[in-house]
Amino acid sequence: MAATPIPPPGAVMGNPGLDGGANPALPPPPGTDMTGICFRDQLWLNTYPLDRNFVFDYFALSPFYDWTCNNEQLRSRAIHPLDLSNLSKMTGVEFMLSEVMEPHLFVIRKQKRDGPEKVIPMLAYYILDGSIYQAPQLGNVFAARIGRSLYHISKAFTIASEKLEKIGNAEAENEAAKSEARPQKEAIDIKEVKRVNHILGALARKLPPAPAPPPFPDGYVPPKATETEKGGEDKQSSDAALPPLDPIIDQGPAKRQRFQ
C-alpha cells in the first residue's frame, strides 16, 4: 500500500548546516475551536489520489493534525496510521476514519483511547472535495441556531409592534374625525341651573305684584253653581220620563200612507 514518503524515525529534519543538526520542535497541538479556517493543498491533490489509503496523509498536512497522536507513532514505524489492530493496543489521542464517500467526503474523528474498547470522542473533521474543515460542536450549533431564531423572533415582534402602532394611530384618527363630525351634547351643570333659578327668583321678588282683574260689566250677574246644577238634573229627569217613540206609528202626518 503506497503512502506519502515520511522521514524515518530518528532522522534529522531540516538543514543541519543552518540549525546545527538539532531536531526542530513539534508544532503546537491544534486548538479545540478552529471552525473559522479551511485547509486545501491543490498541489498534493494534483499529485496523489484522494481515497481511503491516502486521505490520512493529506489530513496530516493540515493545521488540524495533532503530531502527538498515536497515528503519528504508527507512521514513524512505517505502519498504516489507521490500522485498528495496532491502535486498539495503545492509549492516548488518535484519529479514526468514521465515514467515507469516495472521493468527495471523508469524516475523521478525533478521540481519546483509554482501552481497547473504551474511547471518548473529542472532535470531528471532514474533507469535502479536497477542502478540510472542522465540524462545529453540537453545543455551538444549538447556540447559533437559537441565537438566529431569537433574532428573527425579535425582528418579527418589532415589525408587528410597528404595524399595530400604525393601526392604532389610524383608528384614533378615525375616531377623532367621527367625534368632530358628530354634534356633541352639552352637559347640564346643576350648579348653573340653581344659580339661574336663584337670580330669577330674586328678580320676581323685586317686581310689583300683578294687577287685579277688570270688573264685570253693568247688569251682569254671574250664575250660581247650585242653580245650574239643578237645571241640568231637571233636564235629565224630563228626558228620562218621555216614552220611547214608535218608529212606524209616530211618523207624523206627512209620512202616513194616503188611500183614495
Side-chain angles (χ1 to χ4, degrees), residues 51-52 55 82 95-100 106-109:
D51 55 15
R52 65 178 64 242
V55 67
L82 298 178
F95 293 93
M96 289 294 298
L97 187 63
S98 59
E99 299 290 340
V100 177
F106 301 88
V107 179
I108 297 177
R109 184 176 66 247

Side-chain angles (χ1 to χ4, degrees), residues 106-199:
F106 301 88
V107 179
I108 297 177
R109 184 176 66 247
K110 183 180 182 180
Q111 59 191 13
K112 182 180 180 182
R113 181 177 293 276
D114 294 331
E117 301 295 336
K118 186 178 181 180
V119 293
I120 301 175
M122 299 173 61
L123 296 172
Y125 305 90
Y126 61 95
I127 305 173
L128 181 62
D129 292 332
S131 299
I132 305 177
Y133 307 88
Q134 178 184 343
Q137 297 185 10
L138 189 59
N140 297 336
V141 174
F142 284 157
R145 296 293 177 86
I146 292 173
R148 185 178 301 178
S149 301
L150 292 177
Y151 167 76
H152 289 296
I153 292 173
S154 176
K155 186 176 181 180
F157 274 110
T158 303
I159 296 174
S161 62
E162 292 177 357
K163 292 185 177 295
L164 290 175
E165 185 177 359
K166 292 180 180 179
I167 293 173
N169 293 336
E171 291 180 354
E173 292 176 359
N174 294 336
E175 290 293 335
K178 291 180 180 179
S179 62
E180 290 178 0
R182 188 187 307 157
Q184 297 182 357
K185 296 181 180 180
E186 297 182 358
I188 299 175
D189 191 357
I190 303 300
K191 294 183 179 180
E192 189 68 19
V193 172
K194 291 182 178 181
R195 190 175 68 86
V196 172
N197 291 338
H198 179 71
I199 293 172

Side-chain angles (χ1 to χ4, degrees), residues 6-14 21 23-24:
I6 58 175
V12 177
M13 299 178 64
N23 291 332

